[in-house]
Amino acid sequence: FLTSSTHNGNFGGLGLQGADDICRDLANAASLGGTWLAWLSTSTANAKDRVLPGDAKYVRTDGELIANNKADLLDGSIAIRIYRDENNNEVFNAPLTVWTGTDENGNNATDTCNNWTDAFSDGTIGSGVFTDSRWTYGTITVSCSSPLRRLYCFEQ
């Protein structure tokens, strides 16, 4: 899901754990159950390895298919936009940009807000409005101080 909440690129100084906590808390509040992690890369962790350990189908909260498996998720396009939040609401209000730090192959994209602990550097973003590789890698970086970015959360 795409988080209903927006954040800057410093997740309470906790890096990945802080982002994962956001996903967990939102999923729990929406009674989704399961274990949820943020789709983020750092200098030492690639999102594809961290968040996609299995080879299951990926679906939105409304049950619509995003990708058949990990290879399909990372082949340059997804079947449908990821714009539904943890409550299955369509998120159309700005912004639909998403912190990822992740390139089109699911690997570290270099700019990660100092591993998601610093609001004074730059971070790579994707966007929930695209079904091509820009869903994860928008090819631009933005200031990590911007509080108007969301997260993608994947169930494990």
Side-chain angles (χ1 to χ4, degrees):
F1 62 83
L2 180 70
T3 59
S4 59
S5 56
T6 58
H7 309 272
N8 70 27
N10 176 357
F11 300 108
L14 299 174
L16 291 176
Q17 184 60 55
D20 291 343
D21 290 348
I22 292 167
C23 288
R24 180 201 64 224
D25 293 347
L26 290 172
N28 286 344
S31 300
L32 293 180
T35 301
W36 296 80
L37 297 178
W39 175 261
L40 291 174
S41 292
T42 67
S43 61
T44 59
N46 295 318
K48 71 175 183 183
D49 301 322
R50 205 177 83 75
V51 180
L52 305 175
D55 207 25
K57 290 186 182 222
Y58 298 95
V59 297
R60 292 190 316 203
T61 52
D62 63 353
E64 291 292 321
L65 181 71
I66 297 168
N68 286 305
N69 51 41
K70 185 190 310 191
D72 190 26
L73 188 72
L74 300 171
D75 69 0
S77 67
I78 55 177
I80 197 165
R81 297 180 299 156
I82 306 172
Y83 67 89
R84 291 215 175 242
D85 70 13
E86 66 278 1
N87 296 302
N88 197 29
N89 295 319
E90 294 179 351
V91 180
F92 287 119
N93 54 321
L96 287 177
T97 51
V98 184
W99 294 117
T100 68
T102 304
D103 71 12
E104 66 276 10
N105 298 308
N107 297 312
N108 172 298
T110 306
D111 292 306
T112 63
C113 299
N114 194 21
N115 294 326
W116 311 109
T117 62
D118 178 10
F120 300 104
S121 55
D122 292 327
T124 301
I125 59 171
S127 176
V129 301
F130 294 111
T131 57
D132 61 17
S133 62
R134 292 175 291 177
W135 77 267
T136 185
Y137 186 54
T139 69
I140 64 167
T141 60
V142 297
S143 171
C144 297
S145 64
S146 172
L148 298 177
R149 309 283 176 231
R150 299 177 189 277
L151 292 168
Y152 292 124
C153 300
F154 282 73
E155 184 176 16
Q156 301 306 289

